[in-house]
Amino acid sequence: MPILSALTVYPIKSCAGLALQEAVLTTAGLGHSSGRFMDREWMVVDANGGYMTQRDFPRMALVTPTLQADALALGFPGMPVLEVPLAQPAAGGPTRRVHIWDDSLRANDGGDAAAAWFSQALGVACRLVRFDRAAPRAVSQKWTGGVAATTLFSDGYPVLVIGQASLDDLNDKLRGAGRAALPMNRFRPNVVIAGMEAFEEDYVDTFRLGDAVLKPVKPCPRCPMPSVDQATGQFGPDPLDILQAYRAKPEVEGALCFGMNAILIAGAGWPVRVGQEIDVALAF
């Protein structure tokens, strides 16, 4: 029986994740069970409001969040801890226009102290912004079959699902090539599922977790980010050369894919827990 083996929320886009034992699935992504924050609710932007990621700033991996009672405590080597309040910003507070892929939207500004902290950590002028939950960001319906869905600051879809066996298969191939195995955090999934065949997630119609139903909609094309060592914030060997041999997907113009982007089609707000069984319905 497939088992939910890991849950991870990434409070700040492209920074380190928080492993959770329990979370809630919402139509906009994975959320902390308290409802105080969600996956990719914050984002770091450059001076022009453009989103920043480990693709260009691998040291973002070293920004590590720790959950406190009313704040996220952000750590970075050699710097004091920055506390980011969890309470939603007051109406009428400062905002700024930000850009992520083809979307331009207003976001809540995180303030000068956070901007100075991130600018020092990353070595470039930047600011922290928070998603405005009052202004939903719709995902492209090209892959959802016309089903409306939203997300926060993810690249495109609210939930990323990867089967543990898929990583095991890749690691077997890496070891066969004389290279080190990779941890799952290189691929930054929200939901990891054990007890399936390698890449079986590619062929799933729905995952049912209690009343929550996730529907995979698009293979996840991979950029060079999996080559970033999440413990050091440095680029290392890129697994894309191994994936090239067997993970090119014609439906996404030959992109190398690993994991499936998914949307929630039922059970918004339903709690999910590591260790629970998952009902898997295949698409054929």
Side-chain angles (χ1 to χ4, degrees), residues 202-261:
D202 291 8
Y203 309 103
V204 169
D205 181 48
T206 58
F207 296 104
R208 178 175 288 275
L209 303 92
D211 283 357
V213 181
L214 279 173
K215 183 174 181 63
V217 293
K218 183 186 179 184
C220 184
R222 288 299 172 171
C223 65
M225 267 184 62
S227 66
V228 178
D229 186 328
Q230 299 298 293
T232 67
Q234 296 180 351
F235 284 106
D238 194 333
L240 292 184
D241 62 334
I242 299 294
L243 293 172
Q244 179 73 54
Y246 68 118
R247 292 300 299 167
K249 289 281 190 177
E251 60 266 42
V252 283
E253 300 178 345
L256 305 182
C257 296
F258 196 90
M260 289 294 292
N261 290 295

Side-chain angles (χ1 to χ4, degrees), residues 104-129:
S104 177
L105 57 155
R106 282 282 173 188
N108 296 298
D109 185 80
D112 291 342
W117 191 91
F118 273 95
S119 297
Q120 180 179 345
L122 302 180
V124 63
C126 56
R127 297 190 74 85
L128 182 68
V129 298

Side-chain angles (χ1 to χ4, degrees), residues 25-27 147 206-215 263-270 272:
L25 283 168
T26 80
T27 54
V147 177
T206 58
F207 296 104
R208 178 175 288 275
L209 303 92
D211 283 357
V213 181
L214 279 173
K215 183 174 181 63
I263 61 173
L264 189 72
I265 59 173
W270 187 259
V272 291

